[in-house]
Amino acid sequence: MTELIAIALGDHAKAREDYMKGDPNMVAARDPSYETTVAAMKANLRKITAELRGSIPLSSHRNQSHMYWDITMPGAAGYFAGMLFNQNNVAAEASPVTTGLEIQAARDLCTMLGYDMGAMPVPWGHITCDGSVANIESMWAARNLKYQAVALARAIRVEPSLEGARGINVRKSDGTWARLLDLTLWELLNLATDDALDLPKRLVTEAGIAEAAVKAALDAYSIRAKGTAEFDAEMLHGAVTKAPAILVPATAHYSWVKAATLLGLGTRSVRPIPVDLDGRMVVSELARELNACLEEERPVVQVVAVIGSTEESAVDPLTDILALRDQFAGRGLTFALHADAAWGGYFASTLRQPAKNKLTPDGEETGLDDTPEEALSDHVRDQFAVLHHADTITVDPHKSGYVPYPAGALCYRNRDMIFQIALTSPVVFHDGEAPTVGVYGIEGSKPGAAAVGVMLSHITVPPNKLGYGRLLGRCVFNSKRYYAALTTLAKPDDDFIVVPLQRLPAEKDEKTATEIEAQKTLIAEKIVGHSNRRLREIFEAEPEILNLFQALGPDLTVFAYAFNFKVGGKLNRDLTLFNEFNNALFHRLSLEVPEKSGDVPKTPLFVTSSAFDPAAYGEKFVKTFAERAGLDYNERHPVRFLISTMQNPFLTATADGNFIPTLMTVFRETIEDVRGHIIARHDLEKEA
């Protein structure tokens, strides 16, 4: 790493020297205070780095908390190199090189996610500061597109310059064709995404309207020009009385509510759809909500499927959601479909075959042979197989892409959709590639360094089966080992139990309590206590154990779980004490305030925490989890839980072997200590 930084710094200095060599130096001679200032700068840097020692040790095996871990060396070196040049990717003229790198990195992401860069319509993407901004941008584009046909129909009726387009036909959502001006307001609001996007171009190429006239009409009549209130009053005439809806799973990120608020749609426009016991959207509930919107003629701006939820890493059934989209289009209701793959997007690399590239390693061994690459489940593979049908996809290189913050991204299936949010844009895309990226999106100034970090990481660790696929495949394997160890941590005579959100296969099959315990015993004997090498031998000799292993854990690599304690051999049934217990465990295994300056943290393991709120998840989901924990559930009360994220591909094959047993020891010791404090504080032994 020192050598990489030296290369970046040296090459940057050389670039400075090589530009206009005859130009004078900045100063004629050093100021007398120079040496003093340099010494002070070094001393102050030491003070800062001493304080930084108190940060969360992201690269440690003991960091099992948020969606962050160590960063790749090329990601760090690339960011450092780009940072020295300090390019601003808001405009190509301010970043001629890093803008090109951003376009190239975005093409990599589009390809990884399944978009065909050689197909029509042409996909497009760009780097954002994070997934929240990408999500907000997707809703912004979807909202503007929802009302574009309404605006153009009005303009065609009243603008003399558009008179030649009054006979143009469009395809309705059911596949039939009709004259644009004969469509009802509801039909104009429910054109298919590509048909709505093609309309401005078709006015130019088919109706012969001047491009400037079409642009002027959009600038005058669109919702982005008029604003929501004026557009509703002038364009909708009170005929559409229901506020638009955005449908998201109950597990959706809070950025969706932010987006609706920023766009003036209001928080109530975001309608959470219940999830099943695995944290996946219930498609029948989505169908019920869509049907209600259709019956009351409520426009649906966007439906969101989450590909790796923040707290459960659940992957929504995108295949079924796509089927619903087609079904409701035939009934006259359309919407933009967004896949929020901020966490899960890079896991698509496990399915992507490499393209031959002279800059890409030829798949040589990496020294990770003791950690097998575990395939994604059939459910997850099926969703990744249809991911390219989503209109927009969020993916975060700074999450499962292991590159420095800030680096999110938004990818579009149809490049023309970016014009819905560009304040200046052509009607017809004349060039082969966008000349700049800064005019598309929410941000203004944005670091070119982020693009360099992503691109160098992609060149070195390609986003396919030979690169990121190998790293993340090992993370999936390690996540199953972690789940197996955690689920079997408590023995029958222990004073606590473990309650994973993701149920054991025997629980999903509704087996008896005896059969569930027998499966735990089998996991403990055949999976938990063995090295990776020995585990592979067991899998080869006993395929049924491999099948069991592959069925364990979450869809991706984020775990939700909780602990309950016993008093006098009896399980606690009080929800308030349960929440207090898990909250206390979280505070023991996290760090919110730095310890003494200059000291590294002493926390032996890092996890994070949240709560299942019935207002979001639904009573059935929360009640089931609480009852599995042995609680007397009180309606409308949230249930706290802990979260671990497996982003460490090396955890089960360290220099000293499998590190998971060490983490399980930390859990056990912390549980016993916190349990003692809870019992003493509430005098529970006397009560028992």
Side-chain angles (χ1 to χ4, degrees):
M1 194 68 217
T2 300
E3 292 175 357
L4 290 172
I5 295 300
I7 290 171
L9 186 58
D11 288 355
H12 175 76
K14 187 68 165 56
R16 289 189 178 204
E17 293 170 358
D18 288 346
Y19 178 69
M20 298 297 174
K21 291 187 175 182
D23 289 353
N25 290 332
M26 292 290 178
V27 294
R30 284 185 178 176
D31 188 279
S33 64
Y34 175 81
E35 299 296 340
T36 303
T37 304
V38 168
M41 180 171 60
K42 291 179 179 178
N44 290 328
L45 177 60
R46 289 289 186 186
K47 290 178 182 178
I48 292 290
T49 56
E51 289 190 35
L52 288 171
R53 284 169 56 85
S55 302
I56 305 298
L58 298 191
S59 62
S60 170
H61 299 304
R62 297 172 185 267
N63 173 34
Q64 300 290 327
S65 55
H66 291 274
M67 293 173 167
Y68 56 8
W69 197 64
D70 207 355
I71 53 178
T72 67
M73 293 173 71
Y79 193 97
F80 182 82
M83 178 186 65
L84 293 176
F85 285 92
N86 198 33
Q87 303 290 282
N88 183 355
N89 275 29
V90 70
E93 66 183 89
S95 53
V97 175
T98 54
T99 287
L101 291 175
E102 178 172 347
I103 291 170
Q104 189 176 347
R107 289 174 64 88
D108 280 354
L109 292 171
C110 287
T111 300
M112 179 185 73
L113 296 171
Y115 289 147
D116 184 352
M117 296 307 298
M120 294 295 291
V122 178
W124 191 85
H126 70 118
I127 291 175
T128 63
C129 65
D130 68 354
S132 291
V133 166
N135 286 343
I136 294 168
E137 180 183 325
S138 78
M139 189 189 292
W140 184 20
R143 192 281 305 270
N144 289 354
L145 179 63
K146 173 60 70 174
Y147 297 97
Q148 177 171 270
V150 175
L152 285 174
R154 169 59 67 83
I156 291 170
R157 288 184 189 278
V158 301
E159 292 292 340
S161 61
L162 303 181
E163 183 178 359
R166 291 177 185 172
I168 196 165
N169 293 329
V170 293
R171 181 167 44 199
K172 298 195 294 184
S173 64
D174 62 3
T176 62
W177 288 78
R179 194 170 74 109
L180 177 68
L181 297 187
D182 291 338
L183 266 57
T184 66
L185 194 56
W186 179 251
E187 289 173 329
L188 289 170
L189 287 168
N190 286 284
L191 298 182
T193 297
D194 286 347
D195 291 328
L197 287 172
D198 284 344
L199 192 52
K201 289 189 294 185
R202 291 183 58 224
L203 297 183
V204 175
T205 59
E206 296 179 23
I209 305 299
E211 184 174 339
V214 178
K215 187 177 185 302
L218 289 171
D219 290 343
Y221 290 90
S222 67
I223 193 169
R224 71 183 184 191
K226 288 183 173 294
T228 303
E230 185 177 335
F231 191 91
D232 286 351
E234 294 185 8
M235 301 294 181
L236 304 182
H237 301 297
V240 179
T241 59
K242 301 296 183 181
I246 298 95
L247 308 183
V248 304
T251 56
H253 193 255
Y254 57 81
S255 57
W256 295 107
V257 175
K258 280 186 178 181
T261 303
L262 288 167
L263 291 172
L265 299 173
T267 59
R268 287 186 295 180
S269 67
V270 180
R271 300 187 168 203
I273 305 300
V275 295
D276 63 18
L277 298 183
D278 293 314
R280 303 169 185 162
M281 181 191 286
V282 178
V283 177
S284 61
E285 293 291 335
L286 174 62
R288 183 188 60 78
E289 189 66 39
L290 287 170
N291 198 62
C293 290
L294 178 61
E295 288 182 352
E296 61 186 12
E297 293 197 342
R298 181 186 300 276
V300 178
V301 169
Q302 193 176 45
V303 171
V304 177
V306 178
I307 309 299
S309 56
T310 304
E311 297 174 348
E312 308 85 6
S313 71
V315 175
D316 285 333
L318 187 59
T319 52
D320 296 333
I321 296 170
L322 285 164
L324 272 187
R325 181 175 71 172
D326 294 341
Q327 174 189 328
F328 276 90
R331 296 173 59 191
L333 178 72
T334 66
F335 49 83
L337 178 57
H338 178 79
D340 185 357
W343 170 243
Y346 268 82
F347 286 85
S349 64
T350 64
L351 308 176
R352 302 292 173 235
Q353 294 295 335
K356 193 65 179 176
N357 185 327
K358 64 180 181 180
L359 295 176
T360 299
D362 291 325
E364 65 271 13
E365 295 302 326
T366 61
L368 300 178
D369 291 335
D370 283 341
T371 306
E373 298 162 37
E374 182 56 41
L376 301 173
S377 70
D378 289 343
H379 166 77
V380 176
R381 291 171 68 93
D382 287 346
Q383 312 323 308
F384 277 125
V386 297
L387 188 57
H388 63 283
H389 291 295
D391 295 307
T392 46
I393 307 173
T394 292
V395 59
D396 277 2
H398 66 211
K399 287 189 173 75
S400 48
Y402 298 96
V403 301
Y405 292 105
L410 182 65
C411 297
Y412 291 86
R413 180 184 57 81
N414 187 333
R415 175 177 62 183
D416 287 349
M417 200 166 181
I418 64 178
F419 298 147
Q420 298 299 316
I421 57 173
L423 298 182
T424 58
S425 62
V427 173
V428 179
F429 216 134
H430 299 286
D431 301 320
E433 191 61 81
T436 188
V437 293
V439 298
Y440 309 113
I442 294 171
E443 296 153 291
S445 297
K446 50 189 290 187
V452 184
V454 174
M455 197 61 234
L456 186 57
S457 196
H458 282 187
I459 292 171
T460 312
V461 188
N464 58 43
K465 294 178 71 172
L466 288 183
Y468 278 100
R470 302 184 76 175
L471 290 176
L472 294 171
R474 286 162 169 79
C475 289
V476 173
F477 176 86
N478 288 344
S479 75
K480 294 183 181 296
R481 295 220 60 179
Y482 190 94
Y483 174 90
L486 188 60
T487 304
T488 61
L489 176 63
K491 304 301 182 282
D493 57 347
D494 275 328
D495 288 325
F496 68 93
I497 64 168
V498 184
V499 191
L501 170 66
Q502 294 85 10
R503 296 159 295 160
L504 287 166
E507 286 185 272
K508 292 182 179 181
D509 294 339
E510 298 182 349
K511 300 294 186 181
T512 65
T514 301
E515 290 172 311
I516 293 171
E517 286 302 318
Q519 189 168 80
K520 285 184 180 180
T521 301
L522 183 65
I523 292 169
E525 292 176 353
K526 293 289 188 176
I527 296 174
V528 173
H530 300 289
S531 68
N532 289 346
R533 197 176 295 273
R534 174 58 184 147
L535 198 55
R536 283 190 289 185
E537 294 172 354
I538 293 173
F539 290 163
E540 291 175 3
E542 302 177 66
E544 68 276 9
I545 301 301
L546 174 60
N547 292 336
L548 173 60
F549 181 78
Q550 291 176 332
L552 298 179
D555 285 341
L556 296 175
T557 59
V558 180
F559 311 85
Y561 55 93
F563 300 99
N564 200 1
F565 63 93
K566 299 176 183 177
V567 182
K570 294 183 179 180
L571 198 60
N572 163 60
R573 303 190 67 82
D574 186 281
L575 175 58
T576 302
L577 290 176
F578 174 90
N579 284 342
E580 182 182 341
F581 182 56
N582 283 279
N583 197 45
L585 289 171
F586 163 64
H587 286 294
R588 288 288 189 92
L589 300 178
S590 62
L591 181 64
E592 297 173 83
V593 179
E595 297 172 10
K596 182 181 177 182
S597 181
D599 288 349
V600 296
K602 298 181 177 61
T603 306
L605 171 63
F606 291 90
V607 302
T608 186
S609 174
S610 189
F612 292 129
D613 189 338
Y617 286 83
E619 288 286 347
K620 179 182 177 181
F621 178 96
V622 181
K623 185 174 186 288
T624 300
F625 184 76
E627 290 178 345
R628 288 177 56 222
L631 301 172
D632 295 324
Y633 178 63
N634 301 319
E635 290 188 359
R636 297 185 296 278
H637 282 71
V639 176
R640 294 206 66 82
F641 63 96
L642 304 177
I643 304 168
S644 291
T645 302
M646 178 58 64
Q647 210 172 340
N648 181 349
F650 312 105
L651 187 66
T652 59
T654 73
D656 294 331
N658 185 6
F659 197 75
I660 290 177
T662 300
L663 303 182
M664 295 303 111
T665 298
V666 173
F667 269 126
R668 177 175 289 277
E669 292 174 350
T670 308
I671 289 167
E672 292 172 353
D673 190 34
V674 170
R675 173 183 171 274
H677 281 82
I678 295 285
I679 289 174
R681 181 181 302 127
H682 297 280
D683 205 10
L684 296 179
E685 286 186 337
K686 179 179 178 181
E687 183 178 320

